[in-house]
């Protein structure tokens, strides 16, 4: 239903020849996660569209081997070839290109909840996104909420920002037996709610815990948080334990 609605309402783009695209993959490290993982999978997806897309990537040392392993062309540090479009997948307009830039804005959470971030980071992101809004030909927002935030907070016209949901990477998903092994390892032999994300205050795990506490107590459910071990929310683990929730890194 969602796909049908999308096809009815979103403009279709017809490409008569191969589109020359430069993707900024400089943010990818040797162990990509979060937006880095999104960027890597985007590069892989574009590379598979060989009949319609001629892809080249800007990449740092961390990404070169990952991209080369998939046969993706990587530009040299000073190369800025002509192209049809240059894409910045993480807030920033790639510099040095004469082509139109399309940039993805994942959220404006640093501006909505600045108290969750160090002051210098908030100022850096505000300046970065303000510059991107001025320079980019078009913006991509990964949710309707972020699209509205860009329109309301930065005055972006509705014709300059398009919502494009982030997708799921193709791959081998674990089978039932493997899932049972992992669940057993963590003592999850009954119903549970799963929340994925590094445990930082901005993720609001405490708010989630309060919201589902009645389910945890009266239906025998567990809340399982999966994320990085470097939890910045001191005392969260103790509160989770008291409420019967679990934290697994």
């Amino acid at each position: 239903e969602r796909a049908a609605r999308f096809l009815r309402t979103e403009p279709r783009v017809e490409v008569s020849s191969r589109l020359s695209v430069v993707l900024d993959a400089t943010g990818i490290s040797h162990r990509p996660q979060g937006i880095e993982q999104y960027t890597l999978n985007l590069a892989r997806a574009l590379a598979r569209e060989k009949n319609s897309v001629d892809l080249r990537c800007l990449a740092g040392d961390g990404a070169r081997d990952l991209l080369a392993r998939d046969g993706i062309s990587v530009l040299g540090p000073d190369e800025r070839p002509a192209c049809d479009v240059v894409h910045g997948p993480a807030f920033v307009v790639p510099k040095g290109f004469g082509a139109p830039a399309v940039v993805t804005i994942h959220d404006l959470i640093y501006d909505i909840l600045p108290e969750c971030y160090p002051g210098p980071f908030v100022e850096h992101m505000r300046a970065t996104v303000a510059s991107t809004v001025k320079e980019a030909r078009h913006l991509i927002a990964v949710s309707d909420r972020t699209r509205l935030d860009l329109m309301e907070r930065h005055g972006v016209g509705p014709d300059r920002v398009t919502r494009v949901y982030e997708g799921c990477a193709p791959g081998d998903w674990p089978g039932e037996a493997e899932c049972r092994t992992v669940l057993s390892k963590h003592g999850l032999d009954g119903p549970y709610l799963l929340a994925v994300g590094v445990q930082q205050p901005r993720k609001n795990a405490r708010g989630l815990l309060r919201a589902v506490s009645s389910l945890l107590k009266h239906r025998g459910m567990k809340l399982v948080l999966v994320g990085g071990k470097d939890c910045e929310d001191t005392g969260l683990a103790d509160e989770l334990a008291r409420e019967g929730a679990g934290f697994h890194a």
Side-chain angles (χ1 to χ4, degrees), residues 151-186:
M151 293 164 62
E152 293 170 358
R153 291 172 178 266
H154 288 274
V156 177
D159 57 333
R160 279 195 64 219
V161 55
T162 302
R163 183 263 294 136
V164 180
Y165 292 132
E166 292 170 316
C168 239
D172 296 324
W173 298 94
E176 185 175 346
E178 187 177 350
C179 287
R180 286 177 178 171
T181 299
V182 173
L183 292 174
S184 176
K185 174 183 175 182
H186 294 291

Side-chain angles (χ1 to χ4, degrees), residues 23 31 42 52 61 67 74 96 101 106 112 125 127 135 137-138 157 180 184 193 202 220 228 231:
L23 174 67
R31 293 184 63 186
L42 178 60
S52 57
D61 293 338
L67 296 170
V74 178
H106 294 267
I112 297 167
M125 288 302 299
E135 296 177 24
R137 177 74 61 86
H138 199 80
R180 286 177 178 171
S184 176
L193 299 173
R202 63 192 175 93
C231 178

Side-chain angles (χ1 to χ4, degrees), residues 4 9-10 14 18 25 37 59 82 107 113 123 170 186 201 209 213 215 233:
T9 59
E10 297 292 327
E14 299 294 337
R18 291 181 79 203
Q37 190 69 42
D107 58 53
L113 294 173
E123 294 306 312
H186 294 291
L209 184 58
S213 60
L215 288 174
D233 193 348

Side-chain angles (χ1 to χ4, degrees), residues 26-81:
T26 53
I28 299 176
S29 65
H30 67 286
R31 293 184 63 186
Q33 55 185 320
I35 293 176
E36 297 177 26
Q37 190 69 42
Y38 160 79
T39 303
L40 179 59
N41 284 319
L42 178 60
R44 288 169 172 167
L46 288 172
R48 288 193 293 270
E49 302 296 323
K50 295 184 183 297
N51 292 333
S52 57
V53 176
D54 173 22
L55 176 68
R56 289 165 290 180
C57 288
L58 290 168
D61 293 338
R64 286 181 176 276
D65 290 343
L66 287 173
L67 296 170
R69 207 175 299 159
D70 291 314
I72 298 172
S73 176
V74 178
L75 297 171
D78 299 320
E79 284 188 87
R80 295 296 183 271

